[in-house]
């Protein structure tokens, strides 16, 4: 028997109708869209959709034009091109679900596109350090999708890594509970953001964004509350330790002393600057605000008698201390040594004539009548407005400030009824060392006698 085989009578390979037919001559029975279901998590993100026309035999019909549409273009918009009619870009506009339709002739297919914006980025407002347990800071959070579009009504989970330092509630309110650092984190889904929160009052106090490293010297006994002084520096890069020798004598007498590193010096932040004629008004104002912050910081300590807080200062501090006292009602007395009461311009003029020279001061003072320059900061209006007791100590041999004129201003203030007192040491220079012996005059005894006389000690 002769068997005749046909080896190529059929094929298992898929074919499209276009292999044998011209486009448009085979009836299309269905349209499919791939993917048929899609979820977009970011506004303005694009999902690419592809349409396929299928005939009755399940074969793909190519070369077909499609009309694309969205059931809600405010949720998902659709963009196509004539060059690629079977492809559409579905763009997420808002949260919700839209049906995307591809139609050719009377046959159409659908895909469901859901927009569910998900948090990919969390932005937290910055926090400044706080000083003491009990202080609070509210952190604001902005949640965004991957394209940084803001999201509303996002539920965040807040947590603190160190509840012994800080706790945080469900609204982002941080409450200091102790000294130290804690990391505060906000989380939504897979997105998280954290920030460092500091409670610094055991080492620093704040003036705005500037932090000041301080030491608070307290009397050894358990009495109190104690009267206190805040020491304000003279000119130069002075830290809290460099002036300890000028404040420690008060502690054995029963007074607390707050001393701090000048801004931009030691462990304090901020920018150090010298006071000159040009910046005397603004610069002294900044340094006075630092001092005010220190005075008000003392109010947090139960060991301090808030009705007996004063300022101790020398040299440039004679300008700064009264400026701070004028701003802070908490200041009840002033102690100054070698503090100028003349203008910055006149003090500079005097220093130019007298400092680092051997010119007899009796020959220097008459030349001050020739001063015709700018005054810069002038302290007399501030001193005339103050009405708190103060003691000012001067050296007659001072070559940095014109103490003869300073004490004339003191007498003027006394004539106005102001509670200012002063002592002139006839042989003392600017640092109140006796020019004959090189030793300090007994300024501490004079301060303590005055403080006891005023009922402060």
């Amino acid at each position: 028997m002769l068997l005749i085989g046909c080896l190529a009578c059929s094929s298992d390979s898929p074919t499209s109708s276009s292999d044998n037919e011209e486009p448009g001559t085979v009836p299309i029975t269905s349209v499919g869209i791939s993917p048929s279901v899609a979820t977009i998590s970011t506004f303005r993100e694009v999902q690419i959709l592809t349409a396929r026309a299928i005939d009755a035999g399940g074969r793909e019909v190519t070369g077909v034009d499609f009309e694309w549409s969205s059931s809600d273009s405010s949720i998902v918009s659709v963009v196509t091109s004539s060059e690629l009619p079977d492809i559409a870009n579905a763009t997420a506009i808002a949260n919700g679900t839209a049906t995307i339709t591809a139609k050719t002739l009377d046959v159409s297919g659908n895909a469901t596109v859901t927009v569910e914006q998900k948090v990919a980025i969390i932005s937290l407002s910055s926090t400044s350090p706080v000083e003491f347990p009990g202080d609070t800071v509210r952190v604001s959070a902005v949640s965004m999708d991957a394209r940084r579009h803001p999201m509303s009504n996002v539920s965040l989970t807040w947590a603190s890594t160190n509840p012994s330092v800080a706790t945080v509630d469900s609204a982002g309110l941080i409450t200091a509970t102790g000294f130290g650092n804690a990391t505060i984190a906000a989380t939504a889904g897979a997105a998280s953001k954290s920030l460092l929160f500091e409670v610094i009052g055991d080492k620093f106090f704040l003036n705005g964004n500037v932090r000041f490293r301080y030491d608070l010297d307290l009397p050894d006994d358990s009495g109190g509350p104690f009267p206190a002084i805040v020491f304000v520096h003279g000119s130069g890069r002075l830290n809290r330790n460099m002036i300890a020798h000028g404040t420690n004598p008060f502690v054995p007498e029963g007074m607390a002393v707050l001393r701090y590193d000048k801004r931009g010096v030691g462990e304090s932040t901020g920018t150090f600057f010298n006071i000159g004629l040009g910046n005397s008004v603004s610069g002294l104002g900044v340094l006075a605000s630092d001092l005010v912050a220190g005075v008000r910081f003392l109010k947090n300590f139960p060991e301090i008698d808030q009705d007996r807080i004063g300022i101790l200062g020398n040299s440039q501090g004679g300008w700064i201390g009264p400026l701070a006292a004028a701003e802070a009602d908490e200041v009840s007395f002033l102690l100054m040594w070698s503090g100028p009461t003349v203008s910055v311009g006149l003090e500079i003029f005097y220093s130019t004539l007298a400092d680092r020279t051997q010119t007899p001061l009796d020959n220097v003072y008459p030349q001050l009548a020739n001063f015709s320059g700018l005054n810069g900061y002038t302290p007399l209006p501030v001193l005339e407005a103050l009405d708190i007791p103060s003691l000012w100590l001067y050296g007659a041999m001072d070559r940095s400030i014109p103490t003869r004129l300073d004490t004339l201003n003191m007498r003027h203030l006394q004539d106005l009824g102001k509670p200012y007192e002063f002592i002139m040491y006839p042989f003392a220079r600017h640092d109140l060392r006796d020019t004959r012996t090189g030793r300090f005059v007994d300024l501490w005894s004079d301060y303590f006698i005055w403080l006891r006389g005023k009922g402060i000690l």
Side-chain angles (χ1 to χ4, degrees):
M1 178 183 292
L2 178 64
L3 296 178
I4 301 175
C6 181
L7 300 179
C9 291
S10 64
S11 173
D12 293 332
S13 301
T15 62
S16 67
S17 61
S18 61
D19 292 336
N20 301 303
E21 303 289 346
E22 292 296 323
T25 62
V26 177
I28 295 172
T29 58
S30 65
V31 171
I33 298 178
S34 179
S36 60
V37 177
T39 299
I40 303 177
S41 61
T42 304
F43 288 171
R44 309 307 303 176
E45 183 178 340
V46 174
Q47 172 68 58
I48 297 176
L49 302 177
T50 303
R52 298 172 66 243
I54 307 297
D55 67 13
R59 295 173 298 177
E60 180 180 355
V61 181
T62 61
V64 176
D65 289 332
F66 292 95
E67 294 180 4
W68 292 84
S69 62
S70 171
S71 66
D72 192 336
S73 58
S74 67
I75 294 176
V76 180
S77 65
V78 176
V79 177
T80 63
S81 68
S82 57
E83 290 81 6
L84 297 171
D86 58 333
I87 294 177
N89 287 343
T91 302
I93 305 298
N95 286 318
T97 299
T99 300
I100 308 302
T101 301
K103 182 179 180 182
T104 179
L105 300 176
D106 293 327
V107 182
S108 62
N110 298 324
T112 301
V113 178
T114 300
V115 181
E116 291 182 356
Q117 194 183 25
K118 293 187 182 301
V119 179
I121 302 168
I122 300 173
S123 175
L124 301 180
S125 61
S126 60
T127 63
S128 297
V130 299
E131 291 170 323
F132 284 101
D135 292 343
T136 60
V137 173
R138 184 173 297 280
V139 180
S140 60
V142 177
S143 300
M144 295 172 281
D145 63 21
R147 292 177 178 264
R148 306 191 72 87
H149 295 106
M151 299 176 60
S152 58
N153 301 320
V154 174
S155 178
L156 295 175
T157 299
W158 294 86
S160 168
T161 60
N162 194 350
S164 64
V165 171
T167 59
V168 59
D169 69 10
S170 59
L173 180 66
I174 304 173
T175 301
T177 55
F179 295 111
N181 300 329
T183 299
I184 305 299
T187 304
S192 183
K193 183 67 174 180
S194 61
L195 57 82
L196 181 67
F197 181 73
E198 298 177 279
V199 188
I200 61 173
D202 60 335
K203 295 181 180 179
F204 298 88
F205 68 85
L206 296 170
N207 183 21
N209 293 325
V210 180
R211 62 173 71 182
F212 293 87
R213 182 67 166 92
Y214 77 91
D215 284 330
L216 179 60
D217 303 319
L218 294 170
D220 292 334
D221 61 75
S222 59
F226 305 106
I229 54 172
V230 182
F231 183 81
V232 56
H233 321 78
S235 60
R237 304 181 69 93
L238 299 176
N239 63 40
R240 66 192 189 281
N241 296 319
M242 293 165 65
I243 48 88
H245 69 279
T247 58
N248 285 343
F250 289 86
V251 177
E253 297 295 322
M255 294 191 75
V257 178
L258 178 71
R259 46 193 173 87
Y260 58 93
D261 294 347
K262 221 172 188 180
R263 63 167 51 216
V265 178
E267 297 179 57
S268 291
T269 63
T271 302
F272 171 80
F273 58 88
N274 283 311
I275 298 296
L277 185 59
N279 71 341
S280 60
V281 175
S282 61
L284 290 170
V286 169
L287 298 179
S289 73
D290 297 341
L291 177 56
V292 169
V295 167
R296 291 177 173 161
F297 178 73
L298 276 180
K299 295 169 62 178
N300 294 283
F301 293 91
E303 298 93 339
I304 304 303
D305 185 342
Q306 298 187 21
D307 294 327
R308 293 184 292 167
I309 297 177
I311 293 172
L312 169 69
N314 78 301
S315 193
Q316 189 183 93
W319 287 319
I320 300 170
L323 270 173
E327 182 180 345
D329 292 338
E330 295 88 347
V331 179
S332 60
F333 63 93
L334 294 173
L335 299 177
M336 297 289 157
W337 84 78
S338 301
T341 62
V342 299
S343 71
V344 171
L346 183 54
E347 186 272 337
I348 292 174
F349 183 66
Y350 174 81
S351 295
T352 302
L353 296 173
D355 199 16
R356 302 181 187 277
T357 75
Q358 299 298 319
T359 306
L361 293 183
D362 286 342
N363 295 338
V364 172
Y365 275 96
Q367 298 182 59
L368 298 184
N370 299 325
F371 174 68
S372 59
L374 297 174
N375 281 301
Y377 174 71
T378 302
L380 266 182
V382 174
L383 293 170
E384 289 172 349
L386 282 176
D387 198 27
I388 58 175
S390 61
L391 176 62
W392 299 63
L393 308 181
Y394 292 105
M397 297 292 105
D398 196 319
R399 289 182 174 271
S400 179
I401 67 171
T403 55
R404 297 182 193 179
L405 299 187
D406 292 318
T407 53
L408 281 178
N409 286 335
M410 280 286 124
R411 292 190 176 94
H412 161 71
L413 294 167
Q414 290 173 339
D415 290 342
L416 294 178
K418 299 298 178 179
Y420 296 137
E421 300 175 51
F422 69 92
I423 297 173
M424 176 75 92
Y425 302 105
F427 299 102
R429 60 194 192 192
H430 187 67
D431 61 1
L432 296 188
R433 291 180 185 269
D434 193 300
T435 55
R436 300 166 302 177
T437 66
R439 294 193 295 269
F440 284 109
V441 299
D442 195 9
L443 67 158
W444 309 120
S445 293
D446 288 329
Y447 275 145
F448 299 144
I449 291 170
W450 185 88
L451 288 166
R452 291 188 180 95
K454 299 299 179 184
I456 298 170
L457 269 181

